[in-house]
Amino acid sequence: THIENIAAIGTIAGHELGHSIDDTGSKYDWNGRLIEWLPALDRTKFRERAAKFEAQFNQLGHDGSLTLGENIGDHVGLRASYHMAFADMQIVSSKKPKQVRATKKEQDQKKLFFISYAKVWCSKFRPSFEESYLKVDPHALPEARVNAQIIHMNGFYDAFGCTAKDKMFLA
């Protein structure tokens, strides 16, 4: 379905576009010149948010600084593809109490989106490989590329009915 394709292919395309605004890409202008184009206040806000992302991945056993650019790419790709997949729906998110809950069909489509996104990263590493991967690869481990990203998406809570009592709930 188009939902599955957007979740799988759209997030990868969005990920690559996300590098234009990640911790490295945001330092270059549209001509590729090393120029700080973000206004000072935006740079400050970016660093504050980036520090939270780094801390989140540090808690998962990653080097949050090493993986920051790729994590931003994943986040941008996931968020952009989600909004593309559900652009025709009136309800994109119902996490806020005053909004109407998603219909069963919308909830099922959101589940399909997140499951399809997760399938992109299905893999299994040997423990010795995982240990070295964490030290040198700027990409987070596949499980973190899924779980640590989707918890930032209100649609994930809609799809699976997660509440504050659930392990994957992010306040």
Side-chain angles (χ1 to χ4, degrees), residues 76-108:
V76 170
L78 179 62
R79 189 166 291 280
S81 64
Y82 178 84
H83 285 288
M84 178 188 276
F86 299 106
D88 59 339
M89 286 187 183
Q90 285 189 328
I91 302 170
V92 173
S93 172
S94 64
K95 189 174 179 188
K96 295 179 183 170
K98 291 186 179 181
Q99 292 179 324
V100 179
R101 286 269 173 221
T103 66
K104 174 77 169 115
K105 180 182 177 186
E106 290 169 342
Q107 187 178 25
D108 289 345

Side-chain angles (χ1 to χ4, degrees), residues 105-117:
K105 180 182 177 186
E106 290 169 342
Q107 187 178 25
D108 289 345
Q109 288 178 324
K110 289 177 183 184
K111 281 182 184 177
L112 181 62
F113 176 88
F114 288 108
I115 290 168
S116 298
Y117 171 70

Side-chain angles (χ1 to χ4, degrees), residues 3-79:
I3 298 280
E4 291 168 297
N5 290 334
I6 293 171
I9 299 165
T11 55
I12 301 300
H15 168 101
E16 297 307 330
L17 291 170
H19 284 306
S20 66
I21 60 166
D22 69 13
D23 57 323
T24 302
S26 64
K27 296 176 184 175
Y28 294 87
D29 72 3
W30 62 280
N31 279 322
R33 295 177 298 203
L34 184 59
I35 295 174
E36 288 282 357
W37 56 269
L38 282 173
L41 180 61
D42 290 343
R43 277 196 307 271
T44 300
K45 293 286 186 190
F46 179 88
R47 288 184 192 121
E48 288 172 6
R49 290 180 177 185
K52 291 177 183 179
F53 229 29
E54 284 182 34
Q56 177 190 2
F57 281 86
N58 285 339
Q59 280 188 308
L60 297 172
H62 292 77
D63 177 343
S65 178
L66 174 66
T67 61
L68 181 61
E70 295 299 330
N71 295 335
I72 291 170
D74 286 345
H75 186 74
V76 170
L78 179 62
R79 189 166 291 280

